[in-house]
Amino acid sequence: MKLEAVELIRLDVPLKSAFRTSEGSVSVHEVVWVHAITDVGEGWAECAANALPDYSSEYHTAAAGVLREFFIPEAMKLGNDLTAEAIAPALHWAKGHRMAKAALETAVLDAQLRASGMSFAAYLGATKTKVPAGVSVGIMDTLPELMKTVEGYLADGYLRIKLKIEPGWDYEPVKLVRETFGEDLLLQVDANTAYTRDDFDLLKRLDEFNLLLIEQPIEEEDILGHARLAEYIQTPVCLDESIVSAGVARDAIEIGATSIINIKPARVGGYIEAVKIHDVAQAAGIPVWCGGMLETGIGRAANLALAALPNFTLPGDTSASARYFETDTTEPFVLVDGHIDVPTGPGIGVDPIREVVDRFTVSTEWVK
Ligand code: NPG
């Protein structure tokens, strides 16, 4: 297989409502797509980098830049030896930029699998045909607004609620949701690194709510700090931003910094590395779940395939298209009894709807 050209597409996809985390608020999903043209057919991927370097150091225009200047030429140098499995080794010399690397690998993998008629689910080792869906609830201006939103998602059938928290929006909203919706609700929180080692007492107060987990409470480099926190509080600590590779996952597990892992393929450089993390965690008895980066259907499809692996035992942020988008870029993913079907077609199993993509496209460039 050979990479002939890549189209980098910048899209602005409007969100139904603003999504606020401890890092900021977004109302438009600004994103780069990688459309790979190979001699065996085309492949698609959505790069998860945000518009701002707020979740990680990556951001969409930097991802497009590093793809254009370094990664796509490197993949082209592979000539007829191109495979999805060859991408990570070929780009290994380049530090970081995992979301950009992931997007290129995913687009090439999509082309490769479409050509051989195999689905992402089959390639990755999925054992389920549908996956339980959770939903991530942003920080709101008021508690009544939060309650109305959570109530709506529970009525939709979501099986687990994740509340975004930050200092000043933690104890009270969590208490109110727990008291209102009862002990049986699967409830977890996500701080996106908003706290510090000085906040352990504050975080300990959340122990009374019997949460599934607290996600990434302190900064991503501070893995030892998470291990100390995990000893101090009862709520299981789950790492997201900190886990950038299977090696880091292994170390974080070993020092007790994480008893559950959020796997986002984009954050770790792609689906092949994501499966390695799944396996490392499984061998250590650590459950995992699939995170999200507000992906449209093109990105969501592949995440659903990953979430169908056996050690994904907790509901993921694999919500339906309607959670975020009035109009998705593919046929919408729908929630049925709290679950979403894993695509079964070749590759990611869905196709972009050209007219919708054109409507949201800000610019395109060809790298040849
Ligand atoms: O469902 O796709 C989704 C989004 C889930 O909360 C979610 N993502 O930190 O996990 C996260 C968070 C996020 C979204 C982070 C956008 C940064 C940007």
Side-chain angles (χ1 to χ4, degrees):
M1 177 180 177
K2 188 175 190 294
L3 187 60
E4 291 174 344
V6 173
E7 186 186 14
L8 296 173
I9 310 174
R10 260 277 294 114
L11 297 100
D12 277 358
V13 189
L15 296 180
K16 270 184 168 174
S17 55
F19 182 67
R20 186 170 145 212
T21 72
S22 64
E23 290 156 342
S25 180
V26 277
S27 49
V28 176
H29 178 57
E30 297 178 45
V31 80
V32 171
W33 277 16
V34 177
H35 177 204
I37 312 294
T38 77
D39 59 338
V40 298
E42 60 180 1
W44 296 89
E46 181 165 317
C47 178
N50 289 341
L52 302 176
D54 51 3
Y55 169 83
S56 73
S57 62
E58 294 188 77
Y59 60 101
H60 64 1
T61 49
V66 78
L67 282 160
R68 178 199 315 116
E69 286 173 45
F70 301 106
F71 297 170
I72 294 166
E74 201 70 65
M76 285 177 171
K77 265 196 247 162
L78 290 168
N80 287 320
D81 294 331
L82 176 80
T83 58
E85 297 79 6
I87 297 274
L91 304 182
H92 186 70
W93 63 269
K95 306 294 184 205
H97 295 285
R98 288 182 172 86
M99 292 180 175
K101 289 175 178 174
L104 182 57
E105 182 190 272
T106 304
V108 170
L109 182 57
D110 185 36
Q112 181 174 316
L113 295 178
R114 281 178 197 263
S116 66
M118 185 188 256
S119 68
F120 256 60
Y123 175 84
L124 297 174
T127 53
K128 288 168 257 183
T129 55
K130 57 183 183 168
V131 294
V135 61
S136 177
V137 182
I139 293 166
M140 309 263 153
D141 290 334
T142 65
L143 291 171
E145 202 185 330
L146 174 70
M147 301 313 287
K148 207 172 141 230
T149 306
V150 172
E151 202 180 344
Y153 290 140
L154 292 175
D156 290 343
Y158 283 105
L159 298 174
R160 174 281 266 157
I161 297 289
K162 152 166 146 179
L163 300 180
K164 292 285 187 181
I165 58 168
E166 66 182 4
W169 184 266
D170 40 37
Y171 185 84
E172 290 303 329
V174 176
K175 179 175 157 71
L176 192 57
V177 169
R178 178 52 92 208
E179 285 175 356
T180 308
F181 300 103
E183 278 302 313
D184 290 343
L185 172 67
L186 298 182
L187 181 63
Q188 65 190 56
V189 294
D190 182 5
N192 288 111
T193 76
Y195 297 87
T196 72
R197 287 193 188 198
D198 295 332
D199 296 319
F200 285 8
D201 284 321
L202 201 161
L203 295 171
K204 195 170 177 55
R205 293 185 71 206
L206 298 175
D207 279 352
E208 65 185 91
F209 303 123
N210 192 24
L211 300 174
L212 276 176
L213 59 91
I214 177 167
E215 195 181 344
Q216 198 68 45
I218 63 178
E219 69 176 345
E220 63 268 38
E221 288 88 356
D222 194 2
I223 295 185
L224 183 61
H226 284 98
R228 299 234 165 102
L229 177 66
E231 275 185 359
Y232 193 69
I233 64 175
Q234 250 124 51
T235 307
V237 172
C238 168
L239 291 181
D240 170 9
E241 284 90 332
S242 296
I243 305 295
V244 295
S245 67
V248 173
R250 182 200 55 218
D251 294 354
I253 291 169
E254 194 178 316
I255 67 162
T258 192
S259 51
I260 298 168
I261 294 177
N262 168 342
I263 302 186
K264 289 177 185 161
R267 192 192 65 225
V268 306
Y271 287 85
I272 296 173
E273 188 71 14
V275 171
K276 288 185 191 154
I277 297 178
H278 165 274
D279 295 349
V280 162
Q282 189 171 35
I286 299 286
V288 302
W289 57 281
C290 185
M293 292 296 290
L294 307 173
E295 290 94 344
T296 72
I298 286 291
R300 215 151 274 265
N303 284 347
L304 288 163
L306 181 73
L309 268 65
N311 194 37
F312 282 82
T313 52
L314 294 168
D317 284 343
T318 41
S319 313
S321 300
R323 155 68 181 90
Y324 292 107
F325 309 108
E326 213 70 70
T327 311
D328 204 338
T329 58
T330 61
E331 279 300 304
F333 286 100
V334 292
L335 195 63
V336 180
D337 292 333
H339 290 72
I340 300 192
D341 284 342
V342 177
T344 53
I348 58 173
V350 293
D351 294 306
I353 301 170
R354 204 71 236 194
E355 154 255 320
V356 175
V357 174
D358 288 347
R359 181 152 30 111
F360 296 146
T361 295
V362 177
S363 62
T364 59
E365 61 172 306
W366 282 95
V367 186
K368 288 187 177 155

